[in-house]
Amino acid sequence: MCKVSVIMTSYNKPNYVGRSIESVLNQSFEDFELIIMDDNSNVETLCRIVSYLGDERVKLFRSNVKTIEERASVNRYAAQINKALEIAKGEYISYITDDNVYMENRLETMVNYLDDHPKSNICYSASQVLKFSEKGMLVSHYIRRAKKVEWKAPCAVDHCSVMHRASILSIVKKRWGSYWDVDPAFYVIGDARFFYRLNYFWPFYPIDQVLDVNYVTEISFHTQLESKEKSDFVKLLPKQRSCKELRDALTKLKGV
Ligand code: TYD
Ligand code: MG
């Protein structure tokens, strides 16, 4: 057992993944496991990750996905997170991607919040968002605030700003047959889809402090999507479902 399982998805970000891992290993709160779900990255990325395996809290799992057809046929990060959730030992679950960075007190602050609020199942924090262009220039930056008890988390909150109790997962799986939805129609908004499932039952409680930095880099999936020239991978994806649809469904369901 450990207090927190931090789940990191990783795919081909050799220049960023080390910074993300270090931001977890440097946390003021130390009782965690870091489960790195690498989706068969290139050797350069793998070497970066392997250099942190000396810390016994770090656990690396690697998929054997090979073709882009396989990558586009299911939401890969959702599938990888689902595998991690099956083996996670923590009382609390926290997510990070291979390009985002936790502030040093992120785990401590969120663990204290959930420990102090036994009736709250999910908390979220403010986040600093930094967006870079395809050429690597900073094009926008803003703070995503966390001010209210959130019944419509899809596209209002990023999964790197969330911690939830592991105990709620069985309820999600019982209702939908899986934790995260691997439907590739939600590739662009996989976390929003998961949050719909969470908000179906529970609200997200706010901690209005910036506890992570969300980098949208020159190689991020969202940058690829916005690029005029669509990559082969993007071309293979089915028509994407929308935030609006999820948020409208929650409005109907919860009257919010
Ligand atoms: P990322 O490129 O960071 O997208 P965003 O624009 O949302 O920031 O990708 C998000 C996560 O998805 C990242 O941690 C890696 C993971 N991922 C896989 O695990 N497998 C894949 O095939 C792809 C494309 C992404
Ligand atoms: Mg990213």
Side-chain angles (χ1 to χ4, degrees):
M1 258 315 250
C2 57
K3 190 75 178 179
V4 187
S5 294
V6 181
I7 298 173
M8 176 183 288
T9 47
S10 156
Y11 179 56
N12 281 358
K13 298 215 179 65
N15 297 330
Y16 299 107
V17 67
R19 179 177 67 181
S20 300
I21 294 172
E22 280 173 29
S23 80
V24 178
L25 298 183
N26 293 336
Q27 288 292 301
S28 55
F29 183 87
E30 295 180 348
D31 183 15
F32 62 82
E33 58 177 352
L34 171 60
I35 304 177
I36 303 178
M37 301 302 291
D38 183 78
D39 207 15
N40 210 3
S41 290
N42 52 32
V43 172
E44 214 188 338
T45 304
L46 208 64
C47 285
R48 293 287 158 95
I49 297 173
V50 165
S51 72
Y52 296 97
L53 294 182
D55 188 316
E56 62 186 17
R57 296 171 300 181
V58 181
K59 292 158 193 171
L60 171 63
F61 297 87
R62 210 180 168 200
S63 78
N64 59 1
V65 169
K66 288 185 185 71
T67 63
I68 57 168
E69 285 77 13
E70 276 177 84
R71 282 190 195 283
S73 66
V74 296
N75 181 329
R76 289 298 311 156
Y77 57 93
Q80 291 284 80
I81 289 171
N82 282 341
K83 274 193 204 158
L85 288 173
E86 293 290 354
I87 54 170
K89 293 191 171 66
E91 179 184 350
Y92 301 150
I93 306 291
S94 184
Y95 302 96
I96 186 166
T97 54
D98 46 353
D99 46 10
N100 287 357
V101 167
Y102 281 178
M103 298 309 187
E104 203 182 323
N105 60 340
R106 183 187 183 281
L107 294 183
E108 185 182 0
T109 307
M110 290 190 148
V111 164
N112 285 342
Y113 184 89
L114 291 178
D115 279 353
D116 292 346
H117 299 83
K119 290 194 176 142
S120 303
N121 285 315
I122 308 157
C123 63
Y124 76 107
S125 74
S127 171
Q128 160 114 62
V129 183
L130 298 177
K131 285 193 178 166
F132 293 83
S133 69
E134 280 173 277
K135 293 197 171 117
M137 299 281 288
L138 183 65
V139 287
S140 70
H141 60 97
Y142 54 91
I143 304 283
R144 197 182 243 177
R145 301 296 299 267
K147 279 188 165 303
K148 58 171 178 157
V149 176
E150 185 62 84
W151 277 104
K152 280 207 288 195
C155 302
V157 181
D158 186 275
H159 67 291
C160 296
S161 308
V162 164
M163 186 181 283
H164 65 75
R165 293 181 198 281
S167 57
I168 66 176
L169 287 165
S170 57
I171 300 170
V172 173
K173 195 169 184 178
K174 192 166 173 217
R175 172 68 182 75
W176 282 284
S178 63
Y179 307 124
W180 284 58
D181 191 340
V182 299
D183 183 344
F186 289 105
Y187 229 117
V188 178
I189 54 164
D191 56 355
R193 178 58 167 169
F194 178 60
F195 292 169
Y196 168 84
R197 291 178 169 189
L198 296 184
N199 272 155
Y200 182 89
F201 295 106
W202 313 281
F204 290 37
Y205 289 89
I207 301 173
D208 199 21
Q209 282 176 55
V210 172
L211 295 180
D212 67 88
V213 184
N214 194 308
Y215 286 89
V216 183
T217 72
E218 80 286 0
I219 50 170
S220 289
F221 179 53
H222 280 84
T223 315
Q224 280 184 49
L225 277 173
E226 283 160 23
S227 164
K228 280 190 202 104
E229 226 164 275
K230 299 280 167 266
S231 67
D232 291 341
F233 172 67
V234 170
K235 281 184 204 157
L236 283 172
L237 292 177
K239 185 174 164 12
Q240 294 295 295
R241 309 266 297 264
S242 74
C243 289
K244 183 175 183 313
E245 172 193 344
L246 296 174
R247 293 172 63 82
D248 287 351
L250 286 166
T251 300
K252 261 197 194 148
L253 204 65
K254 299 287 167 190
V256 286

